[in-house]
Amino acid sequence: MADPATYRPAPGEIPTSPGVYRFRDEHGRVIYVGKAKNLRARLSSYFQDVANLHHRTQTMVTTAASVEWTVVGTEVEALALEYSWIKEFDPRFNVKYRDDKSYPYLAVTMGEEVPRAQVMRGAKRPGTRYFGPYGHAWAIRETLDLLLRVFPVRTCSAGVFKRAHQTGRPCLLGYIDKCSAPCVGRITREDHRALAEDFCDFMAGDTQRFVRRLERKMNEAAGAMEYEAAARLRDDITALQRATEKNAVVLGDGTDADVFALAGDELEAAVQVFHVRGGRIRGQRGWIVEKVEDVTDAELVEHLLQQVYGAAEEAAAVDARTGAGARGGARDVVPREVLVPTLPTDLDQVATWLTGLRGAKVDVRVPQRGDKKELAATVRANAEHALALHRTRRAGDLTTRSQALREIQEALDLDTAPLRIECYDVSHNQGTFQVASMVVLEDGLARKSEYRHFTVRGPDGEGARDDTAAMYEVISRRFSRYLADRSRSGEPEVDAGPVPAPRSGEVPPDAPVERAGRFAYPPNLVVVDGGPPQVAAAAQALADLGIDDVALCGLAKRLEEVWVPGEDYPVILQRASQGLYLLQRVRDEAHRFAITFHRKKRSKGMTASALDGVPGLGPARQAALLKHFGSVKRLRAASTDEIAAVPGMGARTAATVVAALGGDAPSGADTPHDPGSAVTTGPAGMLEP
């Protein structure tokens, strides 16, 4: 733990202007980002007597090793830059709003030449308009099926669209009039885009315009005694009304608003939002928040609005650059009213920022009376229910994670709790297709973006002789990369004396972002799947690299014993121990990750052929050669003239085939199907997930 006084900047160095600041740890990783109206006043509050700080703030300032700040012109700019830095660096001490599930959206890809309506989850994509979120994907498909009668937009994948365009025949939806079939030219691409824009307008709440238009056409058809056409239009109107009725009317004045509610305690909180468009609930969404920093409800609301609407700002900027923006996209995301349980700390700046995103005035307020207050109470009831459900599912999770890390620290006699744990496992099939995995836990939670795969090479490129040699190679490669990344970042080598503390100070707004290497951060604890042999191999790899500040242990499967280097007897943790459970969980995750990659690599290798690497020999020529000769073994024995006689082959290609197959089989080759066929696994190397 660092003393904040060691990196405290002189008070005169810190400006009194508004700006954004970030704390870094000893490895240069950003651990906290904040903004301030007055940087000097805000930063000085962190460097008071540590005993007077909140315990979460104490942990942050003692983990940090430097602080940087950037001066901006206005508080609105500070709000935007704070969001950008939080998204860029993912600081561990900032509040993170995690979705309590992956909500599906109805998305229309207006950025494509031929827009497509589909169900989408995950991150928002520029040029795509989203409607929802919905509670279930089937609800989207049911709504979409109704609307395709009136708005027959494309819903097929890129592969289906391309195949229909090549064959000149539409898919089934085209034949039953639920797709306008732009793939075969039944409608021009310009007309199809206009149809997709009408579909988006209807989903955005402009429903009566289309109902009135269909009613007018129906009356005209009935007046002209075209009763079949009038009946079809009547059914279309019914479909639109049924799709509209699926959303309950909650605000009779046609209000566009997002209604937020918050329920929680000192450790965590649940947030719910109802998206109301045209007075109807168009979607509902929820988040679970772990309060890793000392924040009030007003600050939570401000962070929430940043993260909910910040993505809209980025998407709008990309759309503006690429010209892929859809009509009304920003107004779909940011409504006229944002109803919150508590006003954010910087209300004027937040309202100004949201107004800039929408392009029209946005009112941020707390509902005081009437239907909006009743709806806010309903949203709060949903938040309370979500929090109760979360506590039921993860009872004591924060406490048990802390207890588990503390038990591991005590069992292994570590100076501090192992906040970053890396676990390694090796997987192979009787020595073939050797791979290894690295999984990462930070603060007891999986950090999947840090997971890595390794292909085990061995000294001669054919794999390691056994599991211990494979473990030695993997640990050596991982920590060699760590030393290389640390060297590139300007830190001294291991034997170059003590590491100087990072400097605190101002950074300009246009300063390039310092990106650490993939392996720049060392773990507090390395766990290997295995007993004394694997632990000894990993310890030898660390010792050969001169690394002595990383703890190491192994977890043997048979009796779940914890082995440490140089000890004759294992460390025994109680079966009901949270520390043992955490080690088992990370070991099982490493095993799962390794065997998944091994199966993928093995499947790919079993279907590879010795002909794959021959220049000028594509799939069609390979098939022709194998059909003519029957096997690679007979092909090897064939002459250049015999190969050239195969339809589609020429003398030059035949000579290339003879030269490629004339030598010995490549090293590491396997022959699962034919004695003469060689299966190659490609160049060995580290692969990323």
Side-chain angles (χ1 to χ4, degrees), residues 424-426 431 433-438 453-482 519 528 533-542 544-545 601 683-687:
Y424 298 82
D425 187 27
V426 175
F433 304 109
Q434 295 180 354
V435 299
S437 66
M438 178 188 96
H453 283 138
F454 298 84
T455 297
V456 179
R457 303 188 184 105
D460 53 3
E462 297 184 358
R465 67 178 185 277
D466 54 25
D467 283 359
T468 58
M471 185 63 70
Y472 178 90
E473 176 185 329
V474 170
I475 297 295
S476 298
R477 287 166 58 185
R478 185 267 182 263
F479 284 94
S480 295
R481 286 287 301 274
Y482 158 60
F519 293 94
V528 298
Q534 288 80 7
V535 173
Q540 186 62 47
L542 293 175
D544 291 347
L545 293 172
K601 191 174 181 66
M686 185 182 305
L687 300 179

Side-chain angles (χ1 to χ4, degrees), residues 360-384:
K361 182 175 176 54
V362 177
D363 187 15
V364 181
R365 62 188 180 87
V366 179
Q368 300 295 333
R369 63 183 67 85
D371 294 339
K372 294 176 182 177
K373 185 176 181 180
E374 293 179 3
L375 180 59
T378 302
V379 181
R380 178 174 174 80
N382 278 264
E384 292 172 346

Side-chain angles (χ1 to χ4, degrees), residues 340-352:
V340 294
T342 304
L343 292 177
T345 52
D346 297 323
L347 175 60
D348 293 339
Q349 286 70 39
V350 171
T352 302

Side-chain angles (χ1 to χ4, degrees), residues 86-161:
I86 289 175
K87 185 172 182 182
E88 175 73 28
F89 298 111
D90 190 22
R92 51 177 292 211
F93 286 102
N94 278 94
V95 167
K96 299 179 180 65
Y97 288 85
R98 297 179 289 104
D99 282 332
D100 52 7
K101 57 182 166 179
S102 179
Y103 287 91
Y105 287 81
L106 173 57
V108 184
T109 58
M110 299 301 294
E112 297 183 5
E113 184 179 2
V114 182
R116 173 192 178 193
Q118 60 181 315
V119 179
M120 276 192 181
R121 300 177 187 262
K124 302 293 189 297
R125 304 176 185 177
T128 300
R129 292 189 67 181
Y130 293 86
F131 305 96
Y134 289 75
H136 303 280
W138 58 261
I140 301 179
R141 297 187 180 97
E142 188 174 286
T143 300
L144 185 59
D145 185 65
L146 288 171
L147 295 180
L148 288 179
R149 287 184 54 92
V150 184
F151 306 103
V153 297
R154 168 198 164 207
T155 58
C156 60
S157 65
V160 173
F161 183 86

Side-chain angles (χ1 to χ4, degrees), residues 398-411:
L398 288 171
T399 304
T400 54
R401 290 207 317 265
S402 300
Q403 179 184 349
L405 295 176
R406 186 173 60 253
E407 289 178 357
I408 294 173
Q409 176 187 354
E410 294 173 354

Side-chain angles (χ1 to χ4, degrees), residues 6 35 51 149 162 293 319 330 346 393 418 429 456 466 510 512 573 577 600 603 625 648 675:
T6 61
K35 65 175 177 61
R149 287 184 54 92
K162 182 179 179 181
E293 57 175 310
D319 290 346
D346 297 323
R393 291 174 175 172
N429 185 13
V456 179
D466 54 25
D510 56 351
L573 294 175
S577 163
K600 179 180 179 181
S603 298
L625 288 174

